[in-house]
Amino acid sequence: MRSDAVTKGMQQAPHRSLFNALGLTEEEMNRPLVGIVSSYNEIVPGHMNLDKIVQAVKMGVSMAGGTPIMFPAIAVCDGIAMGHVGMKYSLVTRDLIADSTEAMAMAHQFDALVMVPNCDKNVPGLLMAAARLNVPTVFVSGGPMLAGHVKGEKRSLSSMFEAVGSYAAGTMSEEDVKEFENKVCPTCGSCSGMYTANSMNCLTEVLGMGLQGNGTIPAVYSERIKLAKKAGMKVMEMLKKNIRPRDIMTEDAFMNALTVDMALGCSTNSMLHLPAIAHEAGVRLDMELANEVSARTPNLCHLAPAGPTYMEDLNEAGGVYAVMNELSKKNLLRLDCITVTGKTTGENIEKCWNRNPEVIRPIENPYSETGGLAILKGNLAPDTGVVKRSAVVPEMLVHEGPARVFDCEEDAIEAIKGGKIVAGDVVVIRYEGPKGGPGMREMLNPTSAIAGMGLGSSVALITDGRFSGASRGASIGHVSPEAAVGGPIALVEEGDIIRINIPENKLDVDISEEEMAARRAKWQPRKPKITTGYLARYASMVTSGNRGAILEIQK
């Protein structure tokens, strides 16, 4: 046992004295030490219930013969951080979470871990830590929020942001906005659509690191408490069988995750997080594979914001395993991957049937024959850009229009709400990438403003930043190389014609190679926006969006 380094032998007497100070008994010190990594805090709605989840996990570990010991992980609420400097601190926490969890687990020599995350960067950050540490680990999230109800319809956070845009357009009253404000987020949990948090919690099931229901059982259901107890018991079983994260998170498992991602229509942020997690697991996940996977994977779900169904509906329809079962009918999954259950993927999903074909389309009748995400390339994105194809209206799948260029999010929002953006325009927001932001802010405010102003079916948005899972429309993010390193997006000028062809995976600006070269010769790097603190260190180490914005020592 790893914990022998702190609990066994005469040399460890000082260590045991400190465990005595914690109130641990000799019996507890003689059992495996299981770290419970809790993202509980009182500022993130998705995390306010994690104290209950942690207590249930601890009970499960104890029942199975382990000694559970909790330590914390930080979390940022993307919704609260949205639209101001706080969003620069969202993506960057993924690496802080991974690093701090590594530090705590190694310093205290835990034998196994149970990760209790929920929201956007917690899940990938802790999956990165799990791959890096490679000790037996199970995930159990806090679960999704129930959908709100406004004027007889189910609603979620994306509706709230769009309501602000509608108010700016004069099509919604202040009283209506207030009703949305009070009703769209009715419970604790990760926001109720297929946004980033729920996308990553669902993909944790697919990767094999979470138990069935991890991504879909609502936060307020007692079934979530039972799941947490099972996770605590299951990690002890993994410890006995010596099943570790790198045994589970293999290349095949990541290919399964990409496949289910396409079927579910997950957040574009999954295209940042999956490569970063794979990198920690020693697997190279080239994002251009996504189009190959998409070409053979039907899109089976249109969860909010792409459609009118929510996480609670997906749960009732059979959850992630039911989606996987549908995909297995056409041999689209690798079924022999080992998982935290101790069984293979195929064994896990064998009897998990689709209980609602309106929520999970049968594979014979998909929303589309291709997946929910697309990777675009062209002279505007030589390395790649990404779009949530399933959330784009048909008339915007192919679009051509003049560039309206902004060097930060705030200027774009002012122009959109000020009525300066018109049908046909292509809004370009640059210098918001991993280095340029720094921190690669989400652009939910401008995409919601476009939708709220009634321009969702006629205006596109392109950025080297990224999008919230709540964004919809022709929103193309992660454009790489980013503007801060001289990518072509930095060379676009007002009025340039931009051509978008999502079915053909193309993104181009209509200027000649000679003109592009001339502009490049004149381009000068900009001074960093932030020169002190964590963001400055992050900017000096972060790679591009197409590589998952992983950190590397720059040589």
Side-chain angles (χ1 to χ4, degrees):
M1 288 290 176
R2 285 160 51 96
S3 61
D4 289 354
V6 293
T7 59
K8 301 291 191 300
M10 185 54 66
Q11 290 297 317
Q12 280 65 43
H15 305 72
R16 289 193 297 275
S17 71
L18 293 167
F19 283 119
N20 282 320
L22 290 171
L24 273 94
T25 65
E26 186 175 342
E27 291 81 1
E28 287 174 302
M29 283 185 255
N30 286 331
R31 293 177 174 182
L33 300 185
V34 180
I36 316 298
V37 188
S38 171
S39 300
Y40 169 77
N41 63 48
E42 295 181 342
I43 188 65
V44 183
H47 292 207
M48 62 183 284
N49 65 320
L50 296 191
D51 54 340
K52 309 291 191 301
I53 303 295
V54 166
Q55 288 305 313
V57 170
K58 291 173 78 172
M59 187 176 294
V61 169
S62 295
M63 285 191 292
T67 298
I69 301 174
M70 186 276 291
F71 64 88
I74 64 168
V76 164
C77 177
D78 277 24
I80 296 173
M82 195 71 64
H84 56 88
V85 69
M87 182 45 68
K88 294 179 185 287
Y89 287 88
S90 173
L91 178 61
V92 305
T93 63
R94 187 184 71 181
D95 296 276
L96 280 176
I97 291 161
D99 292 349
S100 59
T101 301
E102 175 193 0
M104 288 293 288
M106 293 300 294
H108 303 104
Q109 291 293 287
F110 288 105
D111 298 303
L113 298 166
V114 179
M115 306 294 198
V116 188
N118 209 26
C119 289
D120 301 54
K121 309 312 164 301
N122 281 105
V123 185
L126 290 178
L127 282 165
M128 289 164 67
R132 193 184 297 177
L133 289 161
N134 204 33
V135 299
T137 304
V138 177
F139 276 67
V140 56
S141 77
M145 184 184 291
L146 294 178
H149 291 263
V150 183
K151 301 186 187 303
E153 294 184 17
K154 284 186 176 181
R155 297 288 190 174
S156 61
L157 185 65
S158 53
S159 309
M160 183 70 255
F161 278 90
E162 290 178 14
V164 175
S166 298
Y167 176 75
T171 58
M172 186 175 284
S173 69
E174 186 175 348
E175 290 74 19
D176 285 337
V177 173
K178 189 72 175 178
E179 183 178 5
F180 272 77
E181 183 181 329
N182 287 326
K183 292 181 178 179
V184 296
C185 297
T187 72
C188 63
S190 47
C191 296
S192 55
M194 187 53 81
Y195 309 147
T196 306
N198 293 327
S199 295
M200 293 310 302
N201 280 323
C202 287
L203 295 182
T204 300
E205 283 189 56
V206 184
L207 283 170
M209 292 297 294
L211 299 175
Q212 182 183 3
N214 179 69
T216 60
I217 298 171
V220 294
Y221 284 13
S222 298
E223 191 66 26
R224 176 67 55 179
I225 300 296
K226 292 164 68 175
L227 185 72
K229 292 175 184 175
K230 290 175 184 175
M233 291 185 277
K234 191 58 68 174
V235 81
M236 295 304 297
E237 183 181 314
M238 292 177 67
L239 183 60
K240 289 172 187 172
K241 293 180 178 179
N242 196 28
I243 299 174
R244 298 168 180 260
R246 290 196 182 194
D247 301 324
I248 295 169
M249 289 192 282
T250 62
E251 183 176 349
D252 282 352
F254 281 103
M255 292 306 293
N256 283 347
L258 274 178
T259 301
V260 178
D261 192 327
M262 296 300 171
L264 285 172
C266 289
S267 164
T268 52
N269 280 317
S270 63
M271 296 294 104
L272 276 177
H273 299 321
L274 287 175
I277 299 160
H279 175 74
E280 295 290 353
V283 174
R284 187 174 185 276
L285 193 63
D286 187 340
M287 275 300 92
E288 291 188 51
L289 283 172
N291 283 339
E292 294 178 28
V293 174
S294 180
R296 61 176 179 262
T297 306
N299 178 225
L300 304 182
C301 298
H302 267 191
L303 294 144
T309 53
Y310 294 81
M311 295 307 296
E312 62 203 66
D313 302 313
L314 178 60
N315 187 63
E316 294 301 319
V320 175
Y321 278 16
V323 175
M324 294 173 74
N325 193 304
E326 287 290 341
L327 294 171
S328 72
K329 294 175 183 177
K330 288 195 175 179
N331 300 314
L332 293 172
L333 298 175
R334 290 100 190 272
L335 299 178
D336 57 353
C337 300
I338 195 67
T339 71
V340 293
T341 65
K343 298 177 181 178
T344 65
T345 297
E347 289 172 319
N348 286 343
I349 68 173
E350 190 175 11
K351 296 180 181 178
C352 298
W353 310 118
N354 180 359
R355 298 195 291 267
N356 189 338
E358 298 300 315
V359 176
I360 305 171
R361 286 278 185 94
I363 200 159
E364 302 82 11
N365 181 35
Y367 282 102
S368 67
E369 293 293 342
T370 53
L373 298 179
I375 302 297
L376 310 185
K377 292 189 75 172
N379 70 350
L380 188 51
D383 288 343
T384 58
V386 61
V387 64
K388 189 170 185 174
R389 175 165 45 194
S390 61
V392 180
V393 293
E395 56 266 38
M396 288 298 290
L397 290 170
V398 177
H399 180 76
E400 179 178 312
R404 305 298 308 280
V405 182
F406 304 94
D407 288 349
C408 67
E409 176 190 4
E410 288 83 357
D411 290 351
I413 293 170
E414 183 179 350
I416 295 164
K417 291 186 176 178
K420 296 178 181 178
I421 303 301
V422 299
D425 285 347
V426 179
V427 176
V428 177
I429 306 178
R430 61 192 181 189
Y431 294 99
E432 290 284 8
K435 282 186 180 294
M440 204 178 189
R441 288 195 288 182
E442 288 185 342
M443 300 292 150
L444 179 56
N445 271 344
T447 58
S448 298
I450 287 169
M453 296 288 285
L455 298 170
S457 60
S458 60
V459 168
L461 193 154
I462 296 171
T463 181
D464 53 7
R466 60 195 178 92
F467 295 108
S468 164
S471 291
R472 62 187 176 98
S475 304
I476 301 165
H478 311 187
V479 170
S480 302
E482 63 174 290
V485 298
I489 193 172
L491 311 178
V492 175
E493 295 180 359
E494 187 82 7
D496 285 346
I497 298 300
I498 291 177
R499 294 194 174 110
I500 301 164
N501 191 320
I502 295 172
E504 294 184 8
N505 304 313
K506 292 181 180 179
L507 177 62
D508 293 291
V509 57
D510 187 18
I511 59 174
S512 67
E513 291 183 15
E514 292 78 12
E515 174 63 17
M516 187 78 84
R519 292 183 188 182
R520 183 172 287 109
K522 295 177 184 176
W523 179 81
Q524 293 292 323
R526 301 198 172 194
K527 291 182 180 179
K529 295 176 184 176
I530 295 175
T531 57
T532 60
Y534 177 59
L535 285 180
R537 294 198 302 277
Y538 180 87
S540 72
M541 297 178 68
V542 71
T543 60
S544 63
N546 70 302
R547 294 186 58 199
I550 61 173
L551 301 186
E552 286 184 342
I553 297 172
Q554 304 297 307
K555 297 180 181 178

